Amino acid sequence: MLSNHMSGPFHLVILSLALLAGCANFPPATLPGDDRTSEASVALTKWLNLHAKVQGFTSEQAVEKLGRVKAPNGTRSLYYYALLKQQLDDYGAWIQARDAFETLEKDESLTPEQRKLVGILLIYNQSRINSHTQITDLQSQNSSLEEQLRATQEEKLLLEQKIQALTDLESDISTRKEEEPDAGTFAPR
């Protein structure tokens, strides 16, 4: 149900990941001895590959993998944990994924590219949370409006019945007046 409503943010994340993956495949030219850029590129590529792998998991597979994951104790395990949580079709899991990505985004040991990826995934999970909240609110409003409509329709039916009863009463009174002699004239004695 939710996946139909989430296609916009989902496509945004996929497009962003594809762009980042493309950038990772063609790293910027490095100067001899500049291993820092290539290390950052390798780190990002590993994370993108892990993301692609987890993206293929069903909810059941993600739950199974989460059962094997102990408390995340490093950046890679926290990233993996967050990816698994976002695979679940569960509002609470999306909050946990968002919170994990928030923690990762503040981690100074990540490369700037990894931080950008984490930032995109953070935004993605927040948009899922927001969309779910909006859908839930709209469903609640819809239920309330449907109940108001039913109550209004019942009131309308009661008013129509009362109007019909008054119309019938008025018709009976008019018929009786026509049948009775004129009350204003006195018959001779």
Side-chain angles (χ1 to χ4, degrees):
M1 176 184 94
L2 290 176
S3 62
N4 292 339
H5 301 288
M6 306 291 172
S7 63
F10 178 73
H11 290 300
L12 175 65
V13 167
I14 295 301
L15 181 62
S16 299
L17 290 175
L19 180 62
L20 283 171
C23 293
N25 288 334
F26 300 102
T30 59
L31 299 173
D34 189 8
D35 292 332
R36 191 168 184 229
T37 303
S38 63
E39 287 175 18
S41 181
V42 168
L44 177 62
T45 301
K46 285 180 180 179
W47 277 29
L48 287 172
N49 289 339
L50 183 59
H51 181 270
K53 179 181 174 183
V54 172
Q55 194 70 27
F57 292 169
T58 63
S59 284
E60 293 79 22
Q61 290 171 319
V63 168
E64 179 187 329
K65 301 285 184 189
L66 278 166
R68 295 184 203 158
V69 173
K70 304 295 181 218
N73 57 1
T75 55
R76 187 179 187 287
S77 64
L78 184 59
Y79 176 71
Y80 183 60
Y81 168 83
L83 291 176
L84 290 171
K85 284 292 188 173
Q86 82 176 10
Q87 277 304 105
L88 303 179
D89 194 23
D90 178 65
Y91 178 77
W94 299 339
I95 292 173
Q96 291 172 330
R98 181 215 45 210
D99 293 348
F101 287 127
E102 263 180 355
T103 300
L104 285 169
E105 190 177 43
K106 295 172 187 169
D107 189 331
E108 295 291 326
S109 70
L110 297 181
T111 67
E113 292 82 6
Q114 286 175 311
R115 283 232 219 43
K116 287 178 187 175
L117 173 60
V118 166
I120 290 168
L121 294 170
L122 172 65
I123 291 168
Y124 169 67
N125 281 281
Q126 186 62 55
S127 70
R128 291 178 87 184
I129 293 164
N130 294 347
S131 294
H132 181 270
T133 302
Q134 289 173 341
I135 289 168
T136 302
D137 290 348
L138 289 172
Q139 287 171 337
S140 176
Q141 288 175 6
N142 188 43
S143 295
S144 176
L145 289 172
E146 284 176 346
E147 185 58 39
Q148 288 177 2
L149 177 62
R150 271 189 236 105
T152 302
Q153 287 173 333
E154 288 174 9
E155 288 177 18
K156 178 185 172 215
L157 181 62
L158 286 173
L159 285 174
E160 286 175 348
Q161 290 172 345
K162 287 179 181 179
I163 290 170
Q164 186 60 46
L166 287 173
T167 303
D168 292 345
L169 182 61
E170 185 178 298
S171 176
D172 286 346
I173 291 173
S174 294
T175 304
R176 286 185 192 165
K177 280 187 180 181
E178 290 173 3
E179 292 174 358
E180 291 179 8
D182 192 6
T185 56
F186 293 102
R189 291 189 200 204

